[in-house]
Amino acid sequence: MPGSGYATISRKKILEFLKKNSDRTVAVADIDHYLKAQDCEVNITTIYRYLDKLAKDGTVIKYVAEKGNQAVYQYVELGHHCEEHLHLQCVKCGKIIHLECEFMDEISEHILKDHGFKLQCKNSILYGMCSACQESK
C-alpha cells in the first residue's frame, strides 16, 4: 500500500476515500466525516500524519492556499506527472482539472523568457469555476 509501512483499516479507508475523490481536492474534515460514516473512528492527528506521509511519497498532492486556510489534498494517479503541468480548481465544487496542453507550455516559456520566473507546476492551482458550476448558478 502506498505511503505506509503497514496497512491498517483506517489507512485503507482513507486511501479508498482519496481514490474515489481523485477528481477534486479534499480536506481532513471530509475524510473524517467519511470515516465516521463508515464506523471507523480515527483521531484527526492520525489522519494528518498519514496524509503527510502520502504527500511525502507522492501519492497525494498537498495544496496550501492563503495563510490561515487549511490544506487540501488530492490523490494522484500513478503516471499523472502533476509536476509537469498546472492545475485548475473550481471554487464551488472543488473539482481539479489538469492542464496538460501545449498552450500551458507556451505560457510557462513566456513567463520564464519575459519575466525571469520559472513556474513550479506540482502544487500549482489557478482558481475559478468549472463549466458545470457556472451553468448551475
Side-chain angles (χ1 to χ4, degrees):
M1 169 189 273
S4 66
Y6 59 96
T8 63
I9 290 171
S10 58
R11 285 182 176 203
K12 286 179 184 177
K13 289 196 178 290
I14 291 169
L15 199 56
E16 173 184 286
F17 179 78
L18 290 165
K19 286 179 179 181
K20 284 181 183 177
N21 292 280
S22 65
D23 65 335
R24 67 183 189 96
T25 58
V26 297
V28 169
D30 299 323
I31 296 168
D32 186 47
H33 180 73
Y34 172 77
L35 293 173
K36 286 178 179 167
Q38 300 286 311
D39 291 325
C40 183
E41 293 284 331
V42 178
N43 185 303
I44 292 286
T45 304
T46 302
I47 297 171
Y48 276 110
R49 283 188 187 136
Y50 186 49
L51 288 171
D52 284 344
K53 189 174 219 172
L54 291 174
K56 197 175 279 187
D57 74 15
T59 304
V60 299
I61 296 176
K62 179 179 180 178
Y63 298 101
V64 182
E66 303 154 14
K67 287 192 176 195
N69 286 353
Q70 71 182 62
V72 291
Y73 302 84
Q74 182 191 17
Y75 178 77
V76 179
E77 297 289 337
L78 219 59
H80 219 294
H81 304 291
C82 284
E83 67 279 355
E84 298 173 8
H85 60 259
L86 298 171
H87 306 86
L88 302 177
Q89 182 177 16
C90 179
V91 295
K92 189 170 181 184
C93 70
K95 179 179 181 175
I96 292 281
I97 298 168
H98 299 266
L99 293 175
E100 299 174 285
C101 58
E102 291 180 23
F103 178 67
M104 291 313 304
D105 294 337
E106 290 177 38
I107 289 174
S108 295
E109 288 175 28
H110 165 79
I111 290 171
L112 180 60
K113 181 181 166 209
D114 292 1
H115 304 281
F117 192 85
K118 182 166 176 53
L119 293 177
Q120 176 184 319
C121 295
K122 182 178 180 177
N123 50 358
S124 66
I125 296 183
L126 300 173
Y127 297 95
M129 246 207 248
C130 70
S131 57
C133 288
Q134 289 176 50
E135 292 171 8
S136 68
K137 277 172 97 176

